[in-house]
Amino acid sequence: MQVRVSDDDLLLIIDVQNDFCASGALAVADGDAVVPVINRLTERFDHVILTQDWHPPGHSSFATSHPGSAAFDVISMSYGQQTLWPDHCIQGAPGADFHPQLATERAELVIRKGFRPAIDSYSAFYENDRRTPTGLAGYLRERGLQRIFLAGLATDFCVYYSAVDARRLGFTTVLIEAGCRAINLAGSLDAARAGMAAAGVQRVNDLG
Ligand code: VGL
Ligand code: ZN
């Protein structure tokens, strides 16, 4: 599909960080493959924003913070169900750096998320209570950016939550499949696809 990108469209690149890529702490299968795709996409947009998963040591989303629990268990937190993860994307650690080949130069903003110890944040827009804002929606509105193209890691967690929240906030939202890879935990990819379709997220394989 051929998509015409306009000068008020945004490319929102989710969490293309070492820990989600090959040999990272929470490696997404084939995660590195998104890098050349995203680098090519970046050249098509006047507006590029990156998100960076950015957890303090001992973050409450880490299984190691919950004795008796294991990575990928799901537990109840005050704000709802939370999947527990291996320690990853710790502030200032190499695993939290962007993939070394990711072209980050043209990004006008980096949104860090997941920095509050007691709550995780998958979405670029809201923390996992689904109501504490990151400020990104206000930024986009002030800048007059209305259509969001999404790529990055992982399709079924941070990309998914970002896409659904973007729709909830009234943005036109387009997922670029070739620029995403999934964790796929217990049917999470199918659930994410269904959730995005129900929310009115458009899907393209690539921009053509
Ligand atoms: C992510 C799990 C934990 C993601 C971040 O970027 O999809 N997944 N933290
Ligand atoms: Zn995380």
Side-chain angles (χ1 to χ4, degrees):
M1 180 179 159
Q2 187 78 33
V3 178
R4 236 187 72 234
V5 176
S6 72
D7 59 11
D8 56 359
D9 286 337
L10 170 73
L11 179 64
L12 180 58
I13 302 170
I14 305 294
D15 297 0
V16 182
Q17 294 167 258
N18 289 328
D19 270 343
F20 299 120
C21 294
S23 76
L26 181 42
V28 177
D30 203 27
D32 299 61
V34 305
V35 172
V37 177
I38 289 173
N39 287 350
R40 172 170 51 72
L41 292 172
T42 297
E43 295 169 16
R44 304 266 297 262
F45 286 81
D46 286 347
H47 300 279
V48 177
I49 293 179
L50 308 174
T51 68
Q52 190 172 26
D53 211 37
W54 194 249
H55 301 304
H59 190 256
S60 58
S61 75
F62 297 168
T64 52
S65 303
H66 303 270
S69 294
F72 311 111
D73 285 356
V74 178
I75 65 164
S76 263
M77 302 280 269
S78 59
Y79 54 81
Q81 298 288 96
Q82 173 68 50
T83 302
L84 296 178
W85 304 106
D87 291 20
H88 66 280
C89 296
I90 294 176
Q91 297 171 356
D97 287 346
F98 293 114
H99 186 288
Q101 263 83 54
L102 184 71
T104 60
E105 304 78 30
R106 295 198 55 251
E108 64 189 47
L109 179 71
V110 176
I111 288 275
R112 287 176 166 167
K113 60 184 182 63
F115 51 77
R116 290 192 175 83
I119 184 168
D120 203 3
S121 187
Y122 294 150
S123 163
F125 295 97
Y126 294 105
E127 309 213 13
N128 283 9
D129 60 1
R130 317 306 304 277
R131 57 164 115 237
T132 304
T134 63
L136 180 58
Y139 178 91
L140 298 183
R141 288 198 174 120
E142 279 206 295
R143 302 293 299 264
L145 307 179
Q146 294 185 3
R147 186 164 68 156
I148 303 174
F149 290 80
L150 273 157
L153 305 171
T155 321
D156 42 347
F157 287 91
C158 292
V159 175
Y160 165 49
Y161 279 75
S162 299
V164 167
D165 283 347
R167 286 294 303 136
R168 181 153 68 101
L169 288 158
F171 296 100
T172 302
T173 310
V174 186
L175 180 78
I176 307 175
E177 293 266 13
C180 299
R181 291 294 184 278
I183 294 175
N184 205 7
L185 212 59
S188 58
L189 181 56
D190 285 344
R193 288 203 167 121
M196 286 191 274
V201 176
Q202 300 169 39
R203 272 171 55 184
V204 295
N205 182 52
D206 207 334
L207 292 189

